[in-house]
Amino acid sequence: WPWKLCSAILYMLPWVDVTEKTVFFIERFPAFHWTEYFTEPFEHWFYIHEWAPLIIFFGTYLGIVRNKKIPHVARYHIMMGVMLDIVAMILIVVEENLPFGVLWTPWSDLFYACMFWFVFLLVIYCLFFCFMGWYCEIPLISEGVYMQIEQAEQMGQGA
């Protein structure tokens, strides 16, 4: 259970990133206001310093993913949380670089809604598999997770 809980906590990283940007969606649809309450305890630690996200990334990768004493399924879910955070960051970069002509149109509302639902459903799906102790398969992302874990294991053998 401790590794399942640690993995579940790291699934909050992409959700923290997305809730910061989907405030407009949540304001338009107040029925989803409850989703922000899950991130509040993590936002403080994630934004405590400007370098905190980078420190969290390297800490999880070097300290947990490369550690073979931790069960493989836990390392898989921890790396999956990091990869989903990268996907969320790509969506945020796309949103920040939208031209102003698009940013203040109904298309931006659609983009925020898609970003919200995409990351929300991915996190819920991964959390279910995490608590069951199973591997969750998401095309392209899972392949990247397997490659990162395999590469981390190979780097650990050389040391």
Side-chain angles (χ1 to χ4, degrees), residues 2-46:
W3 293 115
K4 289 180 182 181
L5 190 60
C6 182
S7 302
I9 288 172
L10 282 171
Y11 276 124
M12 289 296 114
L13 291 178
W15 191 240
V16 167
D17 289 337
V18 168
T19 53
E20 179 186 335
K21 290 296 183 177
T22 58
V23 170
F24 301 114
F25 173 76
I26 293 171
E27 285 176 357
R28 287 190 184 235
F29 300 100
F32 299 107
H33 188 63
W34 60 270
T35 59
E36 289 184 319
Y37 297 126
F38 292 113
T39 61
E40 286 181 9
F42 305 105
E43 285 178 2
H44 173 70
W45 294 105
F46 194 63

Side-chain angles (χ1 to χ4, degrees), residues 123-135:
V123 167
I124 295 298
Y125 175 78
C126 291
L127 281 172
F128 172 76
F129 278 87
C130 173
F131 285 122
M132 295 300 288
W134 300 337
Y135 293 92

Side-chain angles (χ1 to χ4, degrees), residues 62-133:
L62 297 174
I64 298 174
V65 176
R66 289 181 61 184
N67 190 350
K68 288 188 177 183
K69 295 177 185 174
I70 298 171
H72 189 269
V73 70
R75 291 185 291 147
Y76 175 85
H77 281 289
I78 289 168
M79 192 67 214
M80 179 66 83
V82 171
M83 290 297 254
L84 289 180
D85 191 37
I86 292 169
V87 169
M89 293 306 278
I90 290 171
L91 291 172
I92 289 169
V93 167
V94 167
E95 182 266 337
E96 288 175 348
N97 290 305
L98 285 175
F100 288 114
V102 175
L103 198 57
W104 301 106
T105 63
W107 292 107
S108 65
D109 294 339
L110 177 65
F111 183 78
Y112 290 130
C114 288
M115 186 179 356
F116 175 88
W117 284 111
F118 178 70
V119 176
F120 179 71
L121 292 174
L122 277 178
V123 167
I124 295 298
Y125 175 78
C126 291
L127 281 172
F128 172 76
F129 278 87
C130 173
F131 285 122
M132 295 300 288

